């Protein structure tokens, strides 16, 4: 709304939601993405519009004491389940999509169910079909990491990176996973899986 006095006035937006949106916009540089939204925004996305998103991380941005679950908005899906148009994020390029669509066997849901049980999943270069399956593969790795199933997370991420080796978010998560694998049981007692960011 209008902010100021009778002699000087401007129209703008202020408040905690605006501060958070500014922080999330800045996170695109950290994760190598183009569009990031919060959990609240993700819940209000029109499902019929066909947005394809991936759960990216659970972060505590600078200036906030509460962690926020964040999502990357990747692209749009048409009614037949095929990705339409150019993806918003650089790793999801045309060649990667063509490669994915040519593969024969979706495995992400199986891997995710194994990770729920805390099982260590063997990784093979045969890849999932389509963007959604690859998204599920990353999300399964993220959830395993958050549950301290670091061996499972590492295996899933290595498999994911064989498909999209330049994905900055996945490379960063793999690095954090390897670091977490060296933590002691005492250090893991207060584990939350939250990634604390100290920069704007």
């Amino acid at each position: 709304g209008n902010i100021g006095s009778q002699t000087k006035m401007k129209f703008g937006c202020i408040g905690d939601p605006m501060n958070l949106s500014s922080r999330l916009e800045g996170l695109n540089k950290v994760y190598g993405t183009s569009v990031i939204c919060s959990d609240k925004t993700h819940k209000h996305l029109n499902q019929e519009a066909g947005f394809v998103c991936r759960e990216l991380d659970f972060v505590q941005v600078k200036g906030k004491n509460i962690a926020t679950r964040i999502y990357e908005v990747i692209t749009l899906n048409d009614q037949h389940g095929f990705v339409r148009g150019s993806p918003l994020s650089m790793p999801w390029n045309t060649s990667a999509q063509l490669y994915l669509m040519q593969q024969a066997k979706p495995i992400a849901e199986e891997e995710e169910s194994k990770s729920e049980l805390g099982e260590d999943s063997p990784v093979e270069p045969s890849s999932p079909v389509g963007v959604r399956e690859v998204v599920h593969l990353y999300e399964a790795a993220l959830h395993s990491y958050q549950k301290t199933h670091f061996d499972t997370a590492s295996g899933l991420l290595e498999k994911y990176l064989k498909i999209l080796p330049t994905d900055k978010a996945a490379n960063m998560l793999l690095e954090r996973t390897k670091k977490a694998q060296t933590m002691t049981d005492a250090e893991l007692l207060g584990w939350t899986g939250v990634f604390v960011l100290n920069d704007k």
Side-chain angles (χ1 to χ4, degrees):
N2 290 324
I3 304 169
S5 65
Q6 292 182 345
T7 56
K8 188 174 183 180
M9 187 176 295
K10 64 173 287 187
F11 187 86
C13 299
I14 59 173
D16 187 63
M18 293 305 301
N19 292 336
L20 177 60
S21 64
S22 176
R23 297 288 188 270
L24 296 187
E25 191 278 331
L27 288 186
N28 283 301
K29 295 180 182 178
V30 176
Y31 290 94
T33 53
S34 296
V35 180
I36 290 178
C37 69
S38 68
D39 185 37
K40 287 186 178 180
T41 300
H42 180 259
K43 288 178 180 177
H44 285 85
L45 287 178
N46 186 344
Q47 298 299 317
E48 296 180 358
F51 287 103
V52 178
C53 302
R54 70 163 163 168
E55 184 180 341
L56 197 58
D57 212 342
F58 194 35
V59 301
Q60 182 180 326
V61 298
K62 185 176 177 64
K64 288 187 69 69
N65 296 322
I66 301 174
T68 303
R69 203 168 299 280
I70 59 174
Y71 292 79
E72 176 191 12
V73 183
I74 298 172
T75 186
L76 287 172
N77 222 34
D78 69 16
Q79 60 182 344
H80 303 295
F82 296 104
V83 174
R84 157 176 97 219
S86 299
L88 299 178
S89 299
M90 291 303 293
W92 305 90
N93 54 47
T94 303
S95 61
Q97 286 190 48
L98 288 174
Y99 173 80
L100 294 170
M101 301 306 286
Q102 289 168 355
Q103 305 306 306
K105 185 181 179 183
I107 49 82
E109 291 185 5
E110 178 184 351
E111 299 291 351
E112 187 169 10
S113 65
K114 288 181 180 179
S115 71
E116 289 291 328
L117 297 173
E119 298 178 11
D120 197 7
S121 307
V123 179
E124 299 177 359
S126 60
S127 62
V129 179
V131 172
R132 286 191 184 277
E133 281 73 16
V134 182
V135 166
H136 292 160
L137 186 59
Y138 175 90
E139 291 178 339
L142 175 65
H143 296 160
S144 295
Y145 167 81
Q146 292 171 340
K147 294 174 182 178
T148 70
H149 301 157
F150 302 127
D151 290 342
T152 300
S154 180
L156 291 171
L157 286 166
E158 287 174 359
K159 189 167 192 174
Y160 177 94
L161 287 167
K162 288 180 181 179
I163 303 168
L164 293 174
T166 62
D167 191 308
K168 189 174 181 180
N171 278 290
M172 185 168 65
L173 182 58
L174 180 58
E175 183 180 339
R176 286 160 51 193
T177 300
K178 289 181 176 179
K179 183 178 180 180
Q181 285 176 310
T182 66
M183 296 174 67
T184 65
D185 291 341
E187 291 174 319
L188 289 171
L189 284 177
W191 177 263
T192 61
V194 174
F195 184 33
V196 179
L197 295 141
N198 297 315
D199 298 324
K200 294 184 178 180

